[in-house]
Amino acid sequence: RKHRSPTHLVHVHSMWHILLPVLAYAPRAAPQQPSSHHGRRQFLLSAGAGVASLLQRPAWASSVGGGNAGDKLLNLPADRLADIVRADLVERQFLATADFTRAVYDEGALFTDEIDTYTLPKFIKGTSALFVKDKSEVRLVGEVKADDREVVFYFDEDLCFNIPLQPVVTVTGRCVLSRDPSSGLIVKYREYWDKSPTEVLKTAFNRPRKAAA
């Protein structure tokens, strides 16, 4: 079983107390510690009664992520890889949908955000279940930059959670995709957020009001 650091537990319990009034979900008992298999995605889904069952649908994991896991695009030139990542981000909105070109990722790639680390299949399965893609929006800030070692881009996204009341949070930051020197495939995905997880969840309370028609 993966060891949970005290910092991780603080983040998890902070999330619970912030999401509690948003979800109108008010049990008196302390929340259960999230499963080490799904991290923050499993935890946030479990906050909405019955929504955690979405993670048990294997078809969701196989229907996104770029198709056959065995077809890999090895040692792509940096500009070609940058174009693929840009299309995945802008057109396919992969940070909210997990619909990305799997052929440029090693099957052993690890995906890390400010909360936890996930394997490639679990990132796909958890992300596609956690967010409402039609109510989420991912924006590229600047250009996607790539070289032989890594791909870097900045993002600004509104994420709508697939849980009761569908709260929306805003996340900004950068993402670094590290490449394997021999295959050129992406082996590490790392998100760096501009705000802490607790501050990100608080943005659900500060959404700008829409102007009256």
Side-chain angles (χ1 to χ4, degrees):
R1 178 181 294 271
K2 182 179 176 181
H3 175 69
R4 296 290 177 180
S5 67
T7 301
H8 174 88
L9 294 178
V10 168
H11 287 164
V12 167
H13 288 293
S14 296
M15 285 182 181
W16 175 261
H17 291 300
I18 293 168
L19 278 176
L20 191 60
V22 176
L23 302 176
Y25 184 73
R28 293 297 181 182
Q32 293 183 348
Q33 188 174 356
S35 164
S36 61
H37 294 295
H38 299 294
R40 62 146 182 177
R41 288 164 171 80
Q42 174 66 41
F43 174 76
L44 288 171
L45 281 167
S46 67
V51 181
S53 62
L54 291 174
L55 284 176
Q56 299 173 2
R57 299 182 183 181
W60 287 41
S62 60
S63 63
V64 294
N68 192 325
D71 298 331
K72 299 299 180 184
L73 299 175
L74 302 176
N75 296 309
L76 288 177
D79 58 349
R80 174 83 170 101
L81 182 57
D83 288 342
I84 291 173
V85 172
R86 183 183 299 107
D88 285 346
L89 184 70
V90 176
E91 299 172 18
R92 300 181 185 88
Q93 301 279 289
F94 88 96
L95 294 187
T97 64
D99 183 6
F100 56 84
T101 306
R102 190 164 176 166
V104 300
Y105 289 79
D106 188 278
E107 287 302 298
L110 295 178
F111 293 70
T112 302
D113 58 21
E114 297 290 5
I115 301 297
D116 209 344
T117 296
Y118 321 93
T119 63
L120 185 150
K122 288 175 182 175
F123 176 83
I124 294 172
K125 192 173 184 179
T127 300
S128 59
L130 180 59
F131 302 121
V132 180
K133 67 177 183 178
D134 293 338
K135 296 184 178 181
S136 300
E137 182 181 3
V138 180
R139 296 170 291 274
L140 173 64
V141 179
E143 292 297 321
V144 176
K145 298 181 180 180
D147 57 29
D148 292 339
R149 298 182 300 106
E150 62 186 19
V151 181
V152 180
F153 62 84
Y154 290 79
F155 60 87
D156 177 357
E157 57 187 359
D158 296 323
L159 301 174
C160 177
F161 289 115
N162 189 19
I163 51 180
L165 300 185
Q166 296 186 337
V168 178
V169 300
T170 296
V171 186
T172 61
R174 66 186 173 98
C175 191
V176 179
L177 312 177
S178 300
R179 306 180 69 181
D180 180 79
S182 59
S183 68
L185 296 175
I186 296 167
V187 292
K188 292 181 182 178
Y189 166 108
R190 179 66 165 95
E191 287 182 20
Y192 297 92
W193 297 355
D194 293 333
K195 296 181 178 180
S196 71
T198 300
E199 291 172 325
V200 166
L201 287 172
K202 286 181 179 179
T203 64
F205 296 93
N206 301 313
R207 310 304 303 174
R209 294 181 178 273
K210 294 183 178 180

